[in-house]
Amino acid sequence: MSERLRNKTALVTGSTSNIGQAIAEAFAAEGAHVIVSGRNRERGAQVVERIRASGGRADFLAADLDGSAENSQDLADRARETLGGRIDILVNNAGIYPAPATTATDEKTFDEVYAVNVKAPFFLTAAVAPAMTESGGGVIINLGSWIARLGIPLGALYSSTKGAMETLTRAWAAEFGPMGIRVNAVSPGVVLSPAAEDGEPHPGEVMMKGTPAGEVGTPDAIAHAVVWLASDEAAFVHGTVVDVDGGRTGVAVIAA
């Protein structure tokens, strides 16, 4: 690796598996000291062990980002302390994906999904941004989703939360940009899940038919884009949502 994030510090939420894990490992490979965070201590310890075994720097902090400002502030404080006083990069990745039909969604589920997917990153960003500004600036990267812009029959609740995060990306870029904080987002497409990596057919394969890629993506593909946005190579990029979706939302391949 080129160590594009050498001497940087990073907090990646929901990084004990899948996309978040790939981002944490990619950051560490590029020289960053990474906080791996999530609810599962065992998985978190395994990710940290993998990073350290490869020569990287990482620590695990258990966190239940339930949407409360208190829990978001607590994670920000503990991460800052563990990282030596500053957080240079924040990746708001943690999220949950209940996808019932609208008519089957109860109020408890609605509130829980918005709490985890929108309120938690909102208050975590609010907790991290002031110290970022004091230390000279930083980078915030949100995770959107392809179904925020391409409607599918199920997933209205989840997709609306990701639409909110893409809107917050632009709003935060305007709010925090003058303070030295770049804010952008990555919108993943259909991504290979850990269960599917064992050779089982991925349920999203059908969704990628007719796209340029023609197949589902991998967590590493998302991580590469996040690394770029976090690096100085993207210094002139503000308020942008980068689609990493195999062309799902923007291109149709018509077979002859």
Side-chain angles (χ1 to χ4, degrees):
M1 290 290 185
S2 59
E3 294 200 325
R4 287 177 286 176
L5 304 180
R6 183 180 179 85
N7 297 324
K8 299 293 186 180
T9 61
L11 167 59
V12 183
T13 67
S15 47
T16 61
S17 64
N18 211 21
I19 291 174
Q21 177 179 344
I23 293 170
E25 292 178 351
F27 275 10
E30 291 286 354
H33 182 180
V34 182
I35 293 296
V36 175
S37 72
R39 298 176 181 177
N40 191 306
R41 293 177 180 273
E42 182 179 354
R43 289 206 310 255
Q46 290 172 353
V47 175
V48 168
E49 183 178 353
R50 280 171 55 94
I51 290 173
R52 291 177 177 175
S54 298
R57 294 175 297 164
D59 294 281
F60 173 70
L61 293 179
D64 183 7
L65 295 178
D66 60 358
S68 67
E70 179 183 8
N71 280 2
S72 288
Q73 183 68 58
D74 176 65
L75 175 59
D77 291 343
R78 288 186 292 132
R80 193 176 298 113
E81 180 180 359
T82 304
L83 293 170
R86 75 178 202 275
I87 301 171
D88 297 316
I89 306 162
L90 168 64
V91 180
N92 287 313
N93 169 73
I96 55 177
Y97 182 62
T102 298
T103 53
T105 301
D106 57 37
E107 187 173 5
K108 180 180 178 181
T109 299
F110 184 99
D111 289 344
E112 181 182 11
V113 175
Y114 262 84
V116 175
N117 292 8
V118 181
K119 283 184 68 179
F122 184 95
F123 286 115
L124 183 58
T125 296
V128 168
M132 267 189 181
T133 299
E134 291 174 8
S135 64
V139 177
I140 297 172
I141 302 168
N142 300 318
L143 270 291
S145 173
W146 67 282
I147 64 171
R149 272 167 290 148
L150 182 65
I152 61 174
L154 290 178
L157 177 58
Y158 175 81
S159 65
S160 69
T161 66
K162 289 305 182 178
M165 290 309 298
E166 293 189 6
T167 297
L168 284 171
T169 296
R170 293 182 285 272
W172 285 339
E175 182 176 356
F176 299 126
M179 303 176 190
I181 300 173
R182 288 193 301 107
V183 185
N184 291 288
V186 170
S187 177
V190 182
V191 173
L192 190 70
S193 63
E197 291 175 357
D198 297 327
E200 299 178 8
H202 192 285
E205 290 283 359
V206 67
M207 297 182 184
M208 294 304 293
K209 290 183 177 180
T211 67
E215 59 184 4
V216 298
T218 66
D220 285 343
I222 312 305
H224 293 322
V226 175
V227 166
W228 173 69
L229 285 174
S231 75
D232 289 341
E233 294 174 3
F236 201 52
V237 182
H238 292 260
T240 293
V241 178
V242 178
D243 293 315
V244 187
D245 63 5
R248 174 67 281 176
T249 57
V251 184
V253 177
I254 307 300

